[in-house]
Amino acid sequence: EMAGNFSRYLLAAASKMVPREWSVQDLCDVMMFVLEGGIAPVQIVEGRYLRRRLREEVARADRHQEQFSLMVVGFEGDVEDESYEGLVDVLQERLRRSDIVFLYKHRIAILLPHTPGAALDKLCQRISSLANAGRQVEKIVFSTASYPGREFSGPDTVLDWVEDRLR
């Protein structure tokens, strides 16, 4: 009970300091970032692990009745390696510890556990503005969806949705 009260107190304090909707996972990410000395907490892995991790996340979401979101990020037209690497750097700085970035050839898939669909527009705007600030970055293109959601007729269609956007 004490831990629950403390969590609610910290969530209220965080919301006063930075006006936004905070989750317990957000607080954990901030605390781990501080404890680890400012090391970027985001997991960046090769795209080949996406299929397995996505199946695990769908099962977890179904079991616990929780939502998660997906984002596929690419560029309009041809892209230079520096732009791609700059975008990966921005993602490392702005995503949470629980988020996972999957790298593909000049495309990026992002798994965002515990993230409602309503948060995706703001996240896309933040990533886009940060990537464009101080860098010559081509137009960034975002595809987003949340599970469960109208984009998916069932758990099996989640992977199809991501793979279609990565092509």
Side-chain angles (χ1 to χ4, degrees):
E1 184 177 325
M2 188 169 101
N5 289 337
F6 186 64
S7 295
R8 286 186 289 281
Y9 174 80
L10 289 176
L11 287 170
S15 294
K16 288 179 185 175
M17 289 173 43
V18 179
R20 63 171 277 229
E21 188 175 325
W22 287 82
S23 70
V24 172
Q25 183 64 47
D26 293 334
L27 291 177
C28 288
D29 292 343
V30 168
M31 294 306 290
M32 289 306 295
F33 184 77
V34 170
L35 292 172
E36 292 175 357
I39 299 169
V42 176
Q43 297 178 59
I44 297 182
V45 295
E46 292 180 27
R48 63 184 171 166
Y49 298 108
L50 175 65
R51 182 179 297 268
R52 180 180 54 129
R53 185 61 187 93
L54 202 49
R55 281 192 201 113
E56 291 170 357
E57 192 63 26
V58 167
R60 187 202 56 76
D62 288 342
R63 184 174 53 250
H64 297 290
Q65 302 295 308
E66 291 184 3
Q67 191 175 32
F68 71 89
S69 292
L70 296 162
M71 181 183 295
V72 176
V73 185
F75 295 93
E76 195 172 274
D78 292 333
V79 63
E80 296 178 13
D81 287 341
E82 293 97 26
S83 297
Y84 182 73
E85 292 165 7
L87 180 59
V88 172
D89 289 343
V90 166
L91 294 173
Q92 280 185 309
E93 295 170 8
R94 291 297 167 196
L95 295 177
R96 305 167 301 175
R97 174 180 274 298
S98 60
D99 302 334
I100 304 173
V101 176
F102 298 90
L103 301 180
Y104 289 86
K105 191 172 200 171
H106 291 175
R107 293 211 184 280
I108 300 168
I110 305 169
L111 177 61
L112 303 153
H114 312 289
T115 304
L120 292 175
D121 285 339
K122 286 183 182 179
L123 181 59
C124 290
Q125 289 171 358
R126 266 194 347 224
I127 291 170
S128 186
S129 65
L130 288 169
N132 289 324
R135 295 184 176 98
Q136 292 295 342
V137 177
E138 291 79 7
K139 182 170 171 50
I140 299 173
V141 179
F142 297 94
S143 296
T144 60
S146 294
Y147 180 84
R150 65 176 185 262
E151 297 90 352
F152 308 113
S153 59
D156 298 335
T157 60
V158 176
L159 187 59
D160 294 337
W161 182 91
V162 172
E163 287 179 342
D164 286 347
R165 275 135 191 96
L166 287 171
R167 291 185 188 141

